[in-house]
Amino acid sequence: MAPLLELDRVGLAFGGLRALHELDLTLNEGEIVSVIGPNGAGKTTVFNLISGVYEPTSGDIRFAGESIVGKLPWQITRLGIARTFQSLRLFLNMTVKENVMAATYGHTKASPPESILRLPRARREERQVNAEAENVLSFFGERLMGYRWDQPAYVLSYANRRRLEIARAMAAKPQLLLLDEPAAGMNPNETLEMTELIGRLRDERGLTILVIEHDMHVVEGISDRVVALDHGEKIAEGTFEQVATHPSVVEAYLGRNPEALAEE
Amino acid sequence: MAPIGVDEWVARQGERAEELPGWRGDAARFFARVGWWPKLAVIGLLGALFPVLSPNDFQLQVGINALLLAMLALGLNISVGWAGLLDLGYIAFYGFGAYGFALLSSQQLHSPDGIHLQAWQSIPMVLIAAAILGLLVGLPSRRLIGDYLAIVTLFFGEVWLEFTTNVATDKLGGPNGIPSIDPIKGFGQQILTLKGYYYFLLVAILVVIASLHLLDQSRTGRAWRAVREDPLAANMMTIPVNRLKLMAFSFGAVVAALAGTIFAASQGGVFPTDFDTPFLILIYAGLILGGSGSIAGAVLGGLVVSVTLEFLRNPTEAGYLFYGMIILTLVARTRPWVKLAGIVVGTVAFGYAAHAIVGAVSSAATAGSPHSGGWVGDLLGNWVIVPANPKNFGNICFVILICALIALVQMKRSTLRTVLLIPVIYLAACVWESRLAVEPSITRQILIGAILIVMMNWRPQGLLGRRRVEVV
């Protein structure tokens, strides 16, 4: 079976600055893969390339066998890749439910005149979108339910905003979900909950997930595979244990062993 | 009970608000339960009652102008309030609607007979053309945001003004505009009275309000607001941002053009200066005062700005507004009541004392009479200082008043501030009676500016707008 997502020798350079160099990465359907690496290693750049914010300067990105290079972000999302943001980018002054409903724009079709006249298709879609939004929000237990639907997103707590970002991405009906540091800024309890949640996203919703995460407990808990980046290059790939003990990964995070340096 | 963390406390804000006790809670809950269209029907009925009160032609014209400004604010709200695009060329769409209707309903084109279409033909034609024009103006602007978009659209607005003034003057009439435009007619009927135009405009604005409300509650409205909140995130959430920006321009253009057609038909003539930048600023003032992003706010803001401006034309009525605002602000902002009473008594006493002293020194200095007529003028006769020749006195006092106001706002010590407030209020009254009330056309601009400054400090979100949180 062809992989769901395939990065083929993808490179990105801003003028002389090489942000990413010949990165190969494949994701099979139903997999959860984590990307780790020190700050500035190029993790979020990988996300921005896949979701179409940047266009790669070399190489090819294929989703379900089809190249997505040069497509606009909204087209890529409609193909089935949704993402969340490291620095939350919710529609803060819209209600919780509207945030989720906004992401269903791509798979609804009613034109403005239809909406104004409330013609059958517009009504039907509106009902469906409502039901979908409620369904997606119910995935997070009681956290985003009830009176919270009609609250503006800015009143949510930080952890709930992270959840709402995931809910919004789910509403775009993706096959592949890109999560950018979903557990950042969460307390240990919430982090544990997020770990379970990512597992449930695959098991109950059938999503394939690529996740950037700094919390090694989360990475250990969820990953089928781990990819380590440093300076825009892949330095290791494999199971969590393989990568965590890989000398280049240790070096990237902790620096080189001074004794080994002395020996050279 | 388990202790509630701060996050939870913040998050429950809405829940607590819903449990408002007392009549305010009941009213809020009742208001939330009533659907949107009964509210609209009530507003429509109230609007329909106005001509029944048998207003004179001037008052009817004020009503028509107010409804026009409200409709224009509604259209501007689409691009500015919903899609978050600072469109300074909006006035051109209004002009386009008016000129489009004028050309299709006058002698200008296709001489010698001219073109005289029925309104049900010409208005839709103009609206469709306006929608296309909106797309065309949007095309070069769709990649621009904020200041850059404002500059480019401002350029379009100015181009329209130059175009109607200088291009094809035999057809567009140049600075003289297009005279003798047909009234709105169709199916053997035509609208010839101001009352008729008022009702036509009222129906049109109700249709626009209903359409915009339904649009706001649809996928398109949500997408527009998403684009305003975060274009990048909207783009990632299946929303084609550029296309939605073009749609916002286009819908705004249609609403403005509709207002333009009715304006042209009711006036019977159009001139380039009707669509100049000062009027654009009035539309913005209405939208911002009422609350950008809110339909009800746009309507209310448009009505308030338009009616206030008319009110300020007459010195006596402007005086009511001026003194009323001072008294209202004092009542609303001064606590405790003793302090308020002190300020009022102090101001009255200070005034009579100042008047008596100045009168004793030089009788010419108090020889003038207050410019306000009616009971206000009588009341203030022996209180304010108005010299025989008030012009220079008023000018100097005006500058002093501005300096005093700035000093007052900057002052930290509250007792001193309260004491100083008394002469400042008195000075304001003197300036008003000797200078400001004499020149209402300039004064009303100053007053509108002052109202905007005060409003924007007190309620940045506008009268009916929702407070927008930028970054949390």
Side-chain angles (χ1 to χ4, degrees):
Chain A
M1 197 179 68
L4 185 63
L5 180 77
E6 203 176 357
L7 272 68
D8 183 11
R9 297 164 65 82
V10 169
L12 178 70
F14 298 106
L17 179 74
R18 218 170 56 180
L20 214 60
H21 184 62
E22 302 215 332
L23 180 73
D24 286 315
L25 180 68
T26 54
L27 249 86
N28 297 314
E29 217 170 322
E31 247 186 335
I32 298 182
V33 175
S34 300
V35 181
I36 63 168
N39 289 327
K43 305 183 296 294
T44 299
T45 305
V46 173
F47 271 30
N48 283 340
L49 282 168
I50 299 174
S51 57
V53 181
Y54 304 141
E55 211 175 303
T57 39
S58 65
D60 194 18
I61 304 173
R62 284 184 292 274
F63 179 69
E66 189 189 343
S67 174
I68 56 170
V69 171
K71 284 202 158 62
L72 296 170
W74 59 271
Q75 293 170 322
I76 292 174
T77 313
R78 285 177 188 203
L79 287 175
I81 304 178
R83 69 171 288 185
T84 67
F85 297 90
Q86 180 182 1
S87 52
L88 297 167
R89 304 193 76 131
L90 287 168
F91 307 132
L92 284 177
N93 294 288
M94 293 166 72
T95 67
V96 168
K97 202 168 169 184
E98 277 180 331
N99 263 275
V100 179
M101 286 162 86
T104 63
Y105 188 88
H107 51 263
T108 46
K109 291 199 170 54
S111 64
E114 283 179 279
S115 297
I116 290 173
L117 297 172
R118 286 289 189 261
L119 294 182
R121 177 159 78 164
R123 284 164 179 269
R124 193 181 60 236
E125 281 183 357
E126 202 67 8
R127 272 200 306 276
Q128 281 170 358
V129 163
N130 251 299
E132 269 170 44
E134 287 168 19
N135 173 288
V136 165
L137 287 168
S138 72
F139 187 75
F140 299 84
E142 289 299 307
R143 299 272 190 193
L144 297 174
M145 295 299 278
Y147 68 91
R148 286 215 174 84
W149 286 353
D150 298 320
Q151 285 188 318
Y154 64 74
V155 308
L156 291 182
S157 68
Y158 189 78
N160 273 342
R161 284 186 209 177
R162 287 233 170 264
R163 294 185 185 105
L164 181 56
E165 272 230 333
I166 298 177
R168 187 177 64 173
M170 284 164 69
K173 290 195 176 165
Q175 285 172 271
L176 171 65
L177 190 57
L178 311 177
L179 300 175
D180 200 344
E181 299 200 21
M186 289 190 164
N187 68 34
N189 251 333
E190 291 165 337
T191 305
L192 198 67
E193 206 178 302
M194 185 53 75
T195 312
E196 281 170 30
L197 195 104
I198 293 171
R200 280 175 56 213
L201 278 171
R202 171 180 57 185
D203 299 339
E204 294 175 21
R205 302 270 161 167
L207 292 173
T208 307
I209 296 166
L210 185 63
V211 54
I212 295 175
E213 187 50 68
H214 277 301
D215 190 317
M216 286 306 151
H217 296 291
V218 178
V219 174
E220 188 176 9
I222 58 174
S223 313
D224 296 324
R225 226 153 21 96
V226 178
V227 175
L229 296 184
D230 193 24
H231 298 302
E233 289 185 57
K234 182 156 80 179
I235 52 172
E237 184 173 358
T239 64
F240 177 76
E241 284 76 20
Q242 286 166 349
V243 172
T245 53
H246 195 283
S248 347
V249 176
V250 175
E251 187 188 309
Y253 272 94
L254 303 175
R256 292 181 71 175
N257 182 345
E259 285 165 21
L261 265 179
E263 275 170 28
E264 268 177 24
Chain B
M1 211 177 94
I4 298 175
V6 174
D7 271 5
E8 196 61 20
W9 189 87
V10 172
R12 288 232 173 122
Q13 157 81 26
E15 203 177 27
R16 284 195 308 277
E18 270 178 22
E19 289 161 2
L20 261 181
W23 65 271
R24 287 175 71 180
D26 288 334
R29 271 187 292 276
F30 174 76
F31 216 65
R33 250 204 322 274
V34 178
W36 64 273
W37 60 264
K39 288 179 201 161
L40 186 61
V42 168
I43 289 165
L45 273 178
L46 286 179
L49 278 179
F50 171 64
V52 179
L53 301 170
S54 62
N56 59 33
D57 275 359
F58 172 71
Q59 287 162 335
L60 261 177
Q61 188 62 54
V62 171
I64 289 174
N65 290 347
L67 285 182
L68 276 174
L69 196 62
M71 193 190 270
L72 286 167
L74 276 171
L76 188 63
N77 182 43
I78 300 174
S79 52
V80 175
W82 288 346
L85 304 166
L86 193 56
D87 178 6
L88 294 182
Y90 179 72
I91 193 78
F93 300 129
Y94 180 45
F96 179 80
Y99 269 87
F101 183 84
L103 289 176
L104 295 177
S105 325
S106 68
Q107 300 288 343
Q108 294 301 119
L109 298 180
H110 202 276
S111 56
D113 303 333
I115 302 176
H116 297 277
L117 292 182
Q118 306 277 303
W120 57 265
Q121 294 168 317
S122 57
I123 292 181
M125 278 167 69
V126 170
L127 296 193
I128 290 167
I132 295 168
L133 183 70
L135 288 181
L136 290 180
V137 170
L139 272 179
S141 321
R142 68 195 191 284
R143 285 180 189 283
L144 306 172
I145 52 166
D147 316 355
Y148 308 102
L149 178 67
I151 288 297
V152 169
T153 50
L154 183 63
F155 166 76
F156 281 121
E158 291 302 313
V159 164
W160 173 259
L161 192 62
E162 290 301 316
F163 180 79
T164 49
T165 316
N166 297 323
V167 178
T169 42
D170 55 325
K171 304 286 184 210
L172 295 177
N176 297 325
I178 300 176
S180 55
I181 301 168
D182 301 345
I184 287 179
K185 62 178 189 292
F187 311 110
Q189 308 284 324
Q190 48 183 336
I191 303 176
L192 291 172
T193 60
L194 281 177
K195 202 181 245 185
Y197 278 104
Y198 179 86
Y199 278 120
F200 188 81
L201 193 51
L202 185 67
V203 172
I205 202 171
L206 290 176
V207 170
V208 169
I209 292 173
S211 307
L212 289 182
H213 175 80
L214 290 166
L215 197 58
D216 184 35
Q217 301 297 319
S218 76
R219 65 196 279 269
T220 313
R222 284 190 295 268
W224 273 334
R225 278 174 282 139
V227 169
R228 175 193 71 198
E229 291 296 315
D230 192 331
L232 179 70
N235 215 341
M236 297 285 166
M237 293 300 146
T238 71
I239 296 170
V241 171
N242 285 341
R243 203 182 292 169
L244 275 139
K245 286 184 180 175
L246 290 183
M247 277 165 66
F249 270 108
S250 196
F251 272 86
V254 170
V255 176
L258 177 63
T261 58
I262 301 173
F263 170 79
S266 72
Q267 297 296 309
V270 289
F271 308 96
T273 46
D274 289 334
F275 314 105
D276 205 350
T277 318
F279 193 64
L280 173 73
I281 292 169
L282 277 191
I283 307 173
Y284 264 95
L287 179 62
I288 292 168
L289 194 78
S292 181
S294 147
I295 292 177
V299 175
L300 182 70
L303 296 179
V304 165
V305 166
S306 186
V307 172
T308 308
L309 274 175
E310 291 303 331
F311 210 64
L312 291 176
R313 258 186 225 283
N314 178 322
T316 308
E317 287 176 355
Y320 294 152
L321 196 77
F322 179 74
Y323 294 114
M325 262 170 38
I326 292 179
I327 292 168
L328 270 181
T329 316
L330 276 180
V331 170
R333 304 286 301 180
T334 321
R335 298 283 184 280
W337 297 104
V338 181
K339 195 167 151 193
L340 175 65
I343 291 174
V344 172
V345 171
T347 310
V348 172
F350 183 86
Y352 282 114
H355 190 271
I357 293 169
V358 172
V361 173
S362 146
S363 60
T366 54
S369 56
H371 199 79
S372 288
W375 59 270
V376 177
D378 296 341
L379 201 68
L380 299 178
N382 288 317
W383 188 67
V384 288
I385 299 173
V386 182
N389 179 12
K391 194 168 178 181
N392 280 332
F393 168 78
N395 285 347
I396 294 167
C397 281
F398 182 69
V399 174
I400 298 175
L401 174 67
I402 298 293
C403 297
L405 279 175
I406 294 171
L408 203 63
V409 172
Q410 298 295 326
M411 203 164 283
K412 294 280 187 295
R413 285 181 53 193
S414 77
T415 28
L416 195 60
R417 198 152 82 162
T418 314
V419 172
L420 274 181
L421 193 59
I422 293 169
V424 170
I425 293 174
Y426 180 67
L427 189 63
C430 291
V431 172
W432 179 265
E433 294 301 342
S434 56
R435 196 78 190 93
L436 290 178
V438 184
E439 308 217 16
S441 60
I442 298 170
T443 302
R444 62 187 200 142
Q445 311 282 357
I446 297 175
L447 266 194
I448 283 282
I451 292 173
L452 275 176
I453 292 174
V454 173
M455 263 295 300
M456 288 301 102
N457 278 293
W458 172 60
R459 246 182 109 79
Q461 69 269 45
L463 290 171
L464 297 179
R466 274 243 181 115
R467 191 172 61 104
R468 282 189 55 199
V469 176
E470 292 291 342
V471 183
V472 198

